[in-house]
Amino acid sequence: MPEGIYCNKQPITTDEALKALLSDTRGKKYYEEMESLEVDREKLWSSIQKTMKSRMKTWLSVCARCGLCADSCFLYLVNDRNPEQVPSYKIHSTLGEIIKRKGDVDNAFMRHAMEVAWSQCTCCNRCAMYCPHGIDIGIMMGYLRGLLYSQGFVPWELKIGAGMHRVYRAQMDVTTEDWTETCDWMAEEQQDDWPGLEIPIDKEDADIMYTCNAREPKHYPEDLAEAAILFHIAGENWTVPSEGWEQTSLAMFAGDWEACKLQVQNVYAAIERLRPKRVIGTECGHAHRATVVEGPYWAGRPDGQPPRPYIHYVQWVAEALRTGKLKIDPTKRIKVPVTYQDSCNYVRNWGLAETAREILSYIVEPGYLHEMTPNKEHNYCCGGGGGFNGIGKFRPQRNKALLTKRDQILATGAKLVISPCHNCWDAIRDLEEEYRIGIDWSFLKPLLIKMVIVPEHLKPKDDDGDA
């Protein structure tokens, strides 16, 4: 049986193929064709034999099905403690079953596995913290996603997202010209308020190379401007690359491992070309995971490290406040009940919980920080991580998943949620739109700009030369 025009096992590698898939409104034809997609059982089993390493085999073997992972999973809790939402059950009934059957599974099974992999797990890795054997279901679910992607069973939006990375080396259709023009535009727009501000492009041997999320130049260019303003105030010697500026990886959410490799190699090539002392990534959790945590292994780097030290934006902000590069006006600190959303990918997987609290100690008036319960590395996923936010087919499940975060926020009494992560920011925005609980939400950058002390020499001057 020939594969469908919209849904097939081939990765998207051309702009024409992207446009064709985008023309399929909400993936209707894509999912219709998926129902007829044949599983290549021989290829599936061969792939498992070649790629499944001893760690994954050991985890599946030693899992005692004890159920201690159950209460660690917010999707189990929010779905009325349904036994089918227990993390160990989710992985054994999908990946475990594929292995038990040596790849001899059918279309209906693979579509069910797709639903489990993308609507019943955000790969937040919280369950691994509570497993007595240290089994990480999130890692195994990521592996399952890769197998499903290779057979064509992947949500429509993520097939497109992975294709964007292959074609544009960005999660959205932002060309090099689009990117550099946006940088120039944002720098020009700031001149009245920030004379002399620049967004340097391809400056070699700078102290900092800055990378961002494609959503910023595409939809939120003010975020790029805010980053430039804060670097300007801090007196940093920085640059952005013309190529390799995009840090995120929807391909990671999709399970397209080849696209993951292509994406991160593009970033690393920019680092090696411009030779910065270090790299700073934007306020995004999965972008950090893709370039700093997982990326070196995708790129085959033997030391498991990026080409230069690579830190999250939270780390730079804490450092800038600690060293006095950014000084806060104490009269402008946050004086409303505020809480902080700990992103799984840089708090649980990169240990930045206390770094984030250091920032809060500078910008929040004492007594106004109301922590969620649980918090820090024990915090629950925002409800939209792992690609969950962007999948229309599973939107009802995602909206229900937001209830955990809604209730956490309500219990704090906070009116503002600080969220230095794009996925968390989106989920909290959608949470407010869906449940109307009366909160505001923000990245760090706009909050810092409102309260930072601007040195006199950086202030705009009037005709008499006064600030």
Side-chain angles (χ1 to χ4, degrees):
M1 182 185 297
E3 293 186 0
I5 297 172
Y6 296 94
C7 184
N8 53 61
K9 300 182 182 72
Q10 303 306 311
I12 295 173
T13 56
T14 66
D15 192 47
E16 291 73 20
L18 271 174
K19 289 175 180 176
L21 201 52
L22 284 164
S23 71
D24 178 19
T25 306
R26 297 185 180 179
K28 182 179 179 181
K29 295 176 182 176
Y30 177 85
Y31 288 119
E32 287 175 355
E33 291 183 355
M34 184 181 287
E35 294 182 8
S36 303
L37 196 61
E38 289 191 1
V39 180
D40 187 337
R41 296 171 176 85
E42 184 177 341
K43 180 183 176 182
L44 177 60
W45 181 236
S46 175
S47 178
I48 291 170
Q49 290 177 303
K50 291 175 183 176
T51 62
M52 193 172 191
K53 306 301 181 184
S54 57
R55 180 178 66 165
M56 203 88 65
K57 294 175 182 176
T58 301
W59 280 344
L60 283 171
S61 175
V62 303
C63 176
R65 279 83 157 180
C66 64
L68 287 177
C69 57
D71 283 339
S72 72
C73 179
F74 79 101
L75 288 164
Y76 167 76
L77 298 175
V78 82
N79 284 288
D80 306 315
R81 298 179 181 272
N82 181 346
E84 293 185 357
Q85 289 276 0
V86 174
S88 58
Y89 177 85
K90 286 184 277 196
I91 201 65
H92 280 286
S93 64
T94 52
L95 178 61
E97 198 64 23
I98 291 172
I99 293 166
K100 185 188 296 184
R101 301 185 194 181
K102 296 185 177 180
D104 188 12
V105 292
D106 59 16
N107 177 289
F109 180 93
M110 294 293 270
R111 282 186 287 119
H112 166 71
M114 181 184 80
E115 182 170 352
V116 172
W118 278 284
S119 78
Q120 295 182 24
C121 180
T122 62
C123 301
C124 77
N125 306 102
R126 191 174 191 267
C127 55
M129 297 181 63
Y130 298 89
C131 174
H133 299 297
I135 297 169
D136 195 328
I137 303 295
I139 297 286
M140 289 196 284
M141 200 63 77
Y143 179 75
L144 172 64
R145 288 183 178 192
L147 296 177
L148 291 165
Y149 178 90
S150 71
Q151 293 286 323
F153 296 91
V154 58
W156 175 68
E157 294 89 346
L158 293 182
K159 181 70 177 268
I160 292 170
M164 289 286 183
H165 283 290
R166 286 174 175 267
V167 176
Y168 292 98
R169 297 298 186 267
Q171 63 163 279
M172 295 181 175
D173 52 347
V174 180
T175 65
T176 299
E177 184 179 8
D178 294 336
W179 162 247
T180 56
E181 286 183 355
T182 300
C183 291
D184 292 340
W185 168 44
M186 283 295 100
E188 184 180 344
E189 284 283 308
Q190 310 308 313
Q191 291 307 307
D192 287 346
D193 294 327
W194 303 97
L197 180 142
E198 296 179 340
I199 300 180
I201 301 173
D202 284 341
K203 181 179 181 181
E204 296 181 355
D205 302 310
D207 292 338
I208 292 168
M209 188 183 96
Y210 182 65
T211 54
C212 70
N213 183 317
R215 290 156 43 95
E216 293 162 13
K218 184 75 172 180
H219 297 301
Y220 309 113
E222 65 274 12
D223 191 280
L224 177 61
E226 288 162 354
I229 289 167
L230 290 168
F231 285 145
H232 184 62
I233 294 170
E236 296 286 20
N237 171 21
W238 72 293
T239 190
V240 295
S242 58
E243 299 272 357
W245 52 270
E246 159 70 302
Q247 189 186 355
T248 69
S249 181
L250 291 191
M252 179 175 72
F253 292 158
D256 183 353
W257 306 125
E258 180 59 30
C260 288
K261 179 180 179 180
L262 294 171
Q263 177 62 44
V264 78
Q265 284 178 330
N266 201 44
V267 179
Y268 291 173
I271 297 172
E272 290 169 338
R273 174 169 54 88
L274 298 180
R275 305 179 304 278
K277 290 181 181 176
R278 60 178 177 167
V279 189
I280 297 172
T282 189
E283 296 180 66
C284 185
H286 95 267
H288 187 78
R289 181 173 183 167
T291 49
V292 183
V293 183
E294 308 279 3
Y297 300 100
W298 295 334
R301 295 187 62 84
D303 62 355
Q305 299 293 324
R308 292 285 191 280
Y310 207 136
I311 65 174
H312 190 273
Y313 197 76
V314 163
Q315 292 172 281
W316 177 78
V317 170
E319 176 193 286
L321 292 169
R322 188 187 315 127
T323 59
K325 287 185 174 182
L326 296 178
K327 295 182 174 68
I328 300 300
D329 182 341
T331 67
K332 295 181 180 180
R333 292 197 293 189
I334 297 169
K335 297 182 180 68
V336 298
V338 60
T339 194
Y340 185 89
Q341 165 60 16
D342 291 288
S343 165
C344 303
N345 280 317
Y346 68 77
V347 172
R348 188 152 34 247
N349 293 324
W350 201 244
L352 298 187
E354 296 306 328
T355 307
R357 269 68 192 174
E358 182 181 359
I359 295 170
L360 298 176
S361 73
Y362 286 96
I363 68 174
V364 179
E365 188 76 9
Y368 285 91
L369 175 61
H370 299 185
E371 290 276 21
M372 295 185 202
T373 303
N375 56 60
K376 300 180 181 176
E377 64 270 20
H378 295 282
N379 198 4
Y380 292 119
C381 171
C382 62
F388 208 1
N389 270 336
I391 305 172
K393 183 178 179 66
F394 301 139
R395 183 50 54 94
Q397 296 96 313
R398 196 291 307 259
N399 286 348
K400 188 170 185 179
L402 296 177
L403 289 170
T404 300
K405 192 56 58 181
R406 181 201 68 177
D407 293 347
Q408 274 190 291
I409 294 170
L410 284 171
T412 68
K415 297 300 179 184
L416 171 65
V417 182
I418 300 175
S419 177
C421 170
H422 273 274
N423 269 331
C424 297
W425 191 96
D426 280 355
I428 293 166
R429 176 203 61 198
D430 291 355
L431 180 159
E432 174 59 24
E433 291 179 358
E434 185 72 16
Y435 298 109
R436 302 294 179 186
I437 63 174
I439 57 168
D440 291 318
W441 58 99
S442 180
F443 291 114
L444 284 169
K445 298 184 192 81
L447 298 174
L448 289 164
I449 288 173
K450 289 178 182 177
M451 62 183 78
V452 73
I453 296 172
V454 181
E456 287 296 319
H457 70 281
L458 294 181
K459 294 179 180 178
K461 303 295 190 295
D462 61 22
D463 292 340
D464 296 326
D466 297 323

